Amino acid sequence: MLLTPLDLTPDHDIPAPLLTELTALYVANHEFFALSGDFPDPDDIRPEQVAEALAEELAHPDAEVLLGRSEGRLVGIAITLAHHPDPADPDPWIGLLMIDAGVHRQGLGQRLARLVEDRFRTEGRTAVRLAVLDGNDRALAFWTALGYEVVDHRTDRQQGRPCAVLRKPLDGPGRP
């Protein structure tokens, strides 16, 4: 899997062909967006909504949108935050890690997660955190299988949704 940062046009837009790919990725994950409420109608996610959501993410100076490609095809996205807004939290965060639902359970999510962890390790970071929305049992099982442990339960900062906060130490080299 190749992991690359999202490159915007000089006008700070997402190139149209890439926006089409990203929208298809979001649409494929209907179940997650039905739970999260991130879009007004999870049955009708539109390119302009995806572009707006990603622009909101990128408005944060420490955010990065990473694209995961396998065999040239966009199969996943990770949105990371180098520094949490809470100054008491020293760890970087994975704000979103999503794999095309059509290729779930093929190991691509694990590969993408490890690539993100490796990026943080390379930066000298010693742990990473993320939040899983209550009711997203598959995501909780995925992350705990990768060695993440629940360290807190609270509401998310953006929408006040209940979630579990997970943390994983990044000791030693990552797995391939």
Side-chain angles (χ1 to χ4, degrees):
M1 178 180 295
L2 181 62
L3 188 64
T4 59
L6 171 64
D7 285 328
L8 301 177
T9 68
D11 293 331
H12 302 286
D13 293 324
I14 299 171
L18 178 55
L19 183 56
T20 298
E21 287 182 290
L22 286 162
T23 302
L25 176 69
Y26 278 57
V27 167
N29 284 280
H30 171 271
E31 186 177 323
F32 170 74
F33 290 113
L35 175 67
S36 73
D38 289 338
F39 294 100
D41 182 355
D43 293 320
D44 188 25
I45 298 173
R46 298 172 183 243
E48 59 272 12
Q49 293 172 314
V50 173
E52 182 180 333
L54 290 172
E56 286 176 22
E57 295 288 351
L58 289 170
H60 193 288
D62 290 329
E64 187 172 33
V65 175
L66 302 167
L67 307 176
R69 291 191 176 276
S70 181
E71 299 177 10
R73 180 174 170 255
L74 181 68
V75 294
I77 186 172
I79 300 174
T80 64
L81 191 60
H83 301 282
H84 193 271
D86 180 350
D89 183 349
D91 298 325
W93 280 68
I94 298 172
L96 176 72
L97 190 139
M98 185 169 56
I99 298 295
D100 184 322
V103 292
H104 278 182
R105 307 201 56 79
Q106 296 181 21
L108 295 171
Q110 291 177 4
R111 288 174 53 199
L112 182 54
R114 287 187 181 121
L115 288 170
V116 170
E117 291 169 0
D118 288 345
R119 286 175 69 89
F120 286 135
R121 251 186 224 96
T122 300
E123 295 170 4
R125 307 306 288 270
T126 58
V128 62
R129 292 182 194 228
L130 56 91
V132 173
L133 294 173
D134 283 4
N136 195 347
D137 298 334
R138 285 180 26 183
L140 187 60
F142 170 81
W143 290 110
T144 56
L146 291 179
Y148 287 76
E149 295 181 4
V150 176
V151 295
D152 196 7
H153 289 276
R154 62 182 182 216
T155 57
D156 72 12
R157 289 178 156 278
Q158 292 179 326
Q159 296 185 23
R161 301 168 293 195
C163 57
V165 175
L166 289 84
R167 183 176 190 269
K168 179 181 181 179
L170 296 177
D171 301 331
R175 290 185 264 170

